[in-house]
Amino acid sequence: MDLALLETPVPVVELDIVERNLRRMQDYCDRAGIALRPHIKTHKIPSLAHRQIELGARGITCQKLGEAEVMADAGIDDILISYPIVGQGKALRLAALARRATMRVSLDNPVALATVSEAGRIGGEIGVLVEFDSGNGRTGVTSVEEVLTLARAARDTDGVRFDGLMNYPVNARTGEILRELLPRLEAEGLKPAIISGGGTPQAFRTHEMAPVTELRVGTYIYNDRMTVAAGHASWEDCAYTVHVTVISRPRPELAIVDAGSKVFSSDPMPAGTGEGHGYFPAYPQAKLAKMSEEHGMVDLSACGERPQIGERLRVIPNHVCPVSNLHDRLAFTKGGVFQGFGAIAARGRSQ
Amino acid sequence: MDLALLETPVPVVELDIVERNLRRMQDYCDRAGIALRPHIKTHKIPSLAHRQIELGARGITCQKLGEAEVMADAGIDDILISYPIVGQGKALRLAALARRATMRVSLDNPVALATVSEAGRIGGEIGVLVEFDSGNGRTGVTSVEEVLTLARAARDTDGVRFDGLMNYPVNARTGEILRELLPRLEAEGLKPAIISGGGTPQAFRTHEMAPVTELRVGTYIYNDRMTVAAGHASWEDCAYTVHVTVISRPRPELAIVDAGSKVFSSDPMPAGTGEGHGYFPAYPQAKLAKMSEEHGMVDLSACGERPQIGERLRVIPNHVCPVSNLHDRLAFTKGGVFQGFGAIAARGRSQ
């Protein structure tokens, strides 16, 4: 099938680049002596998770229970949910997962610990990683004392096992915190079996920054404008492009493509790293300047050659994870040749 | 079923408010002598489209062929696609739709006209609305001469019928353009049967701004922070809320909820109309200040009372249309009582 016959807008994933990206990260982890536990939030596709494990990953990471359920259904049996699980309905679902997979959960508070304990008492012991914040301002306790309190509570709570620590993203502060924290934990017999760190952009510097034993990375499988801007990858390492069609040229310097925020998401680039909502490899000067839900407004004023109505363009998105989440399926290619569609099975599993 | 038993994050639509919003817009159109053709891009749910038609709407508007296919499958037989259709694959699909529904398509260029003509020659005549721009900078021709050229071409092309004009959003400039354009069209025997205008925020002023004969509005069915900010609606008119759970309180002034950009989209408020990504009716001072994919960071620093871990919160999103597109289903309530789930059948139909 000629790719030009695929209806647009359509996400296309080149499997040769995926394979290269997966091997590169696995090689780094092998050299650094770090276990790789890829985050499937980026791809949400069981066959790609299986490939990550075949290449050496220890297991996978999911952000939500619903993602873990899809992956367990596909036979993945070692899952970290890097997210606090709170509430009775979620405890029941976590218990069901614990009956068929090795489950670990990160948390930063006693209410989540009670939920995981309830799940573990029903479904089988669940590992707990205590999350600490190294400046991200998201989840994670903000003091060494709080880590110690939660670690002790996990040790003393039925249904759970204290397995270690979690942090996102790994940075210099992660290392500082661990230097203070680890001796205190060890003094109480709470040496962490796992120190889990995450984040694609700085992944290859993990070993320099902190004594992480497991690495959670997601975006590295596809890459995007952000990981290129961060220096993690080049345009040639971007496996995920969206094919779109020019549907209007209302003015000489403006092209409208058939994809807007419902295809690309509205995630902007981090301040100072680039404007617009995507990169056009065939028209590097074109700027996806503005979007409405189904329209992309492409500023061509800096382009010498300009695309015509009906022309198909490839776009590398700013941030591939939310884009992946917007589509039910994507097209796989290998060496540019269409291989079939893949269902994004864990798409939209935010519960 | 107690709403508190629904797993979060979950979109919840209150049908009593939906009914009031639908009747209010239909009443306005009836009084103004304008036909209502609701845009289903907001809800994407066939049962709601049928209710809009039962209350008096002339037909529906879709943005993409894929949405129109879902609606035609559900028995809707009068559809405007307010979007240029370009390409042979799309021509075939449009032809199939024209066999089972009255189809109209808007366009602003000869390539789209050729596509629609091809579809019409195969599937049955298709009405064409020529889109003109009144300052939005999206699709739409930018001169009266171009409208005339396309209208003549539509008249002279097999498989299509020139039905009139389309514009978005209707504003003062729409009226100015029409005052110049209409006599010129009439002089050539091209009086438009339909002048289609759109946009919820200024919908109730349509009759003051331009001689529109059909109104395309989508957001009015649910409303959101943007239509409230625009003065179109009040918080009590917001039918669509997302129920979320507080999963962490890492600092006294910070709550983390279990919903981020994969639940709310990243659409910001228009400049100067409000910060953050949602409104909490029970905590009006709380600000959904930052999001990552599955985390919402709620700034509580201005709140007297503050929500605890495990507490469920209702959130009115900034812009409900992309939020609706992120979820496979939602919960319906009537008078606050759970009525069942509704599939968002045309979600993700961007092709």
Side-chain angles (χ1 to χ4, degrees):
Chain A
M1 188 179 186
D2 186 344
L3 275 186
L5 294 175
L6 296 181
E7 292 280 281
T8 64
V10 61
V12 178
V13 163
E14 170 54 51
L15 290 170
D16 285 346
I17 305 179
V18 164
E19 184 74 8
R20 204 166 68 219
N21 291 343
L22 295 187
R23 286 180 183 274
R24 187 177 174 217
M25 188 62 77
Q26 187 65 54
D27 286 350
Y28 165 74
C29 285
D30 291 347
R31 280 199 313 277
I34 299 173
L36 179 58
R37 184 181 286 280
H39 207 313
I40 63 79
K41 75 186 177 77
T42 305
H43 59 73
K44 299 175 185 289
I45 298 176
S47 65
L48 296 179
H50 279 295
R51 185 66 189 143
Q52 290 172 312
I53 290 170
E54 279 166 17
L55 289 172
R58 172 170 297 179
I60 63 166
T61 308
C62 297
Q63 204 74 332
K64 290 292 184 97
L65 269 174
E67 295 172 340
E69 287 163 346
V70 169
M71 293 294 154
D73 286 348
I76 307 277
D77 62 2
D78 188 337
I79 302 175
L80 165 65
I81 300 181
S82 55
Y83 200 85
I85 304 296
V86 171
Q88 213 157 10
K90 293 205 161 47
L92 281 174
R93 292 167 59 200
L94 179 56
L97 281 168
R99 285 198 197 94
R100 53 185 177 141
T102 300
M103 295 300 302
R104 291 186 182 83
V105 175
S106 73
L107 50 80
D108 69 354
N109 67 76
V111 181
L113 180 61
T115 300
V116 179
S117 164
E118 189 182 343
R121 280 178 283 134
I122 300 168
E125 198 175 63
I126 294 168
V128 162
L129 303 183
V130 175
E131 182 178 5
F132 65 92
D133 183 28
S134 58
N136 194 35
R138 200 167 77 173
T139 40
V141 298
T142 55
S143 74
V144 164
E145 290 307 326
E146 288 172 284
V147 176
L148 288 164
T149 303
L150 269 175
R152 286 179 207 123
R155 176 191 60 197
D156 300 338
T157 299
D158 286 346
V160 304
R161 182 182 65 241
F162 173 69
D163 269 353
L165 306 172
M166 194 189 86
N167 173 247
Y168 175 85
V170 173
N171 54 26
R173 181 83 189 111
T174 307
E176 290 170 20
I177 293 168
L178 288 173
R179 275 191 290 280
E180 183 185 349
L181 180 56
L182 292 178
R184 306 245 343 239
L185 284 167
E186 285 173 32
E188 300 196 32
L190 287 167
K191 186 176 151 84
I194 297 170
I195 301 174
S196 171
T200 289
Q202 302 300 320
F204 296 142
R205 295 186 49 227
T206 305
H207 65 288
E208 300 167 17
M209 295 188 289
V212 160
T213 69
E214 272 195 17
L215 184 61
R216 309 180 321 278
V217 277
T219 314
Y220 81 103
I221 187 169
Y222 292 152
N223 287 309
D224 55 22
R225 255 183 111 197
M226 288 186 188
T227 65
V228 171
H232 171 82
S234 68
W235 296 124
E236 289 67 38
D237 301 322
C238 291
Y240 186 107
T241 56
V242 182
H243 292 213
V244 303
T245 300
V246 177
I247 54 161
S248 173
R249 286 288 311 279
R251 298 194 302 271
E253 73 284 5
L254 179 66
I256 314 289
V257 296
D258 59 351
S261 63
K262 285 181 178 171
V263 165
F264 289 117
S265 88
S266 297
D267 275 22
M269 290 292 282
T273 64
E275 293 180 319
H277 294 276
Y279 175 75
F280 297 82
Y283 295 92
Q285 309 306 324
K287 192 169 89 176
L288 183 49
K290 217 179 113 181
M291 297 186 297
S292 51
E293 289 159 49
E294 305 282 11
H295 299 74
M297 273 58 85
V298 187
D299 178 356
L300 304 174
S301 46
C303 298
E305 219 174 328
R306 292 172 176 188
Q308 296 307 305
I309 295 174
E311 189 170 333
R312 295 165 71 102
L313 305 175
R314 292 170 59 237
V315 188
I316 296 172
N318 285 358
H319 184 197
V320 72
C321 307
V323 181
S324 184
N325 187 56
L326 283 163
H327 300 272
D328 292 330
R329 63 178 195 171
L330 47 70
F332 284 122
T333 59
K334 215 167 146 44
V337 179
F338 179 65
Q339 305 290 305
F341 290 104
I344 304 170
R347 190 214 75 73
R349 303 295 174 115
S350 287
Q351 290 180 341
Chain B
M1 189 178 185
D2 186 343
L3 274 187
L5 294 176
L6 296 181
E7 292 280 282
T8 64
V10 60
V12 178
V13 162
E14 170 54 51
L15 290 170
D16 285 347
I17 304 179
V18 164
E19 183 75 7
R20 205 166 69 219
N21 291 342
L22 295 186
R23 287 180 183 275
R24 188 178 173 215
M25 188 62 76
Q26 187 63 56
D27 286 351
Y28 165 74
C29 286
D30 291 347
R31 280 198 314 275
I34 300 173
L36 179 58
R37 184 180 286 280
H39 206 312
I40 61 79
K41 76 185 177 79
T42 305
H43 58 72
K44 301 175 185 287
I45 298 175
S47 65
L48 295 179
H50 279 295
R51 184 66 190 143
Q52 289 171 314
I53 289 169
E54 279 166 15
L55 288 173
R58 171 170 298 180
I60 63 166
T61 307
C62 297
Q63 205 74 333
K64 291 292 184 96
L65 269 173
E67 295 173 340
E69 286 163 344
V70 169
M71 293 293 154
D73 285 348
I76 307 277
D77 62 3
D78 189 338
I79 302 175
L80 165 65
I81 299 180
S82 54
Y83 201 86
I85 304 296
V86 171
Q88 213 158 8
K90 292 204 162 45
L92 280 174
R93 292 167 59 199
L94 179 57
L97 280 168
R99 286 200 197 93
R100 52 184 177 142
T102 301
M103 295 300 303
R104 291 186 182 84
V105 175
S106 73
L107 50 80
D108 67 355
N109 67 77
V111 182
L113 181 61
T115 300
V116 179
S117 164
E118 188 181 345
R121 280 178 283 134
I122 300 168
E125 197 174 63
I126 295 169
V128 162
L129 304 183
V130 175
E131 182 178 4
F132 64 93
D133 184 27
S134 58
N136 193 36
R138 202 167 76 174
T139 40
V141 298
T142 55
S143 75
V144 163
E145 289 308 326
E146 288 172 284
V147 176
L148 288 163
T149 304
L150 269 174
R152 286 179 208 122
R155 177 191 58 199
D156 299 339
T157 299
D158 286 345
V160 304
R161 181 182 65 240
F162 173 69
D163 269 352
L165 306 172
M166 195 188 86
N167 173 247
Y168 174 84
V170 174
N171 53 28
R173 180 84 189 112
T174 307
E176 291 170 20
I177 294 168
L178 288 172
R179 275 190 291 279
E180 182 182 350
L181 180 56
L182 291 178
R184 306 256 328 251
L185 284 167
E186 284 173 34
E188 300 196 34
L190 286 167
K191 184 177 151 79
I194 296 170
I195 302 174
S196 172
T200 290
Q202 303 299 320
F204 296 142
R205 295 185 48 227
T206 305
H207 65 289
E208 300 167 18
M209 295 188 289
V212 160
T213 71
E214 271 194 18
L215 185 61
R216 309 180 321 278
V217 278
T219 314
Y220 81 103
I221 188 170
Y222 292 153
N223 287 309
D224 56 21
R225 256 184 109 197
M226 288 186 188
T227 64
V228 171
H232 171 82
S234 68
W235 297 124
E236 289 67 37
D237 301 322
C238 291
Y240 186 107
T241 56
V242 182
H243 292 212
V244 302
T245 300
V246 178
I247 53 159
S248 172
R249 285 288 311 280
R251 297 192 305 269
E253 72 285 4
L254 179 66
I256 313 291
V257 296
D258 59 353
S261 63
K262 284 181 178 171
V263 165
F264 288 118
S265 87
S266 297
D267 276 22
M269 291 290 284
T273 64
E275 294 180 318
H277 295 276
Y279 175 76
F280 298 82
Y283 295 92
Q285 310 306 323
K287 192 169 88 178
L288 184 49
K290 216 179 114 183
M291 295 186 298
S292 51
E293 289 159 52
E294 306 281 12
H295 299 75
M297 274 58 85
V298 187
D299 178 355
L300 304 174
S301 47
C303 299
E305 219 174 327
R306 292 171 176 186
Q308 296 308 303
I309 295 173
E311 190 170 332
R312 294 165 71 101
L313 305 175
R314 291 169 58 236
V315 187
I316 296 172
N318 285 0
H319 183 197
V320 71
C321 307
V323 181
S324 184
N325 186 55
L326 284 163
H327 300 272
D328 292 329
R329 63 178 194 171
L330 48 69
F332 284 123
T333 59
K334 217 168 143 46
V337 179
F338 180 65
Q339 306 289 306
F341 291 103
I344 304 168
R347 190 213 74 72
R349 303 295 175 116
S350 287
Q351 290 180 343

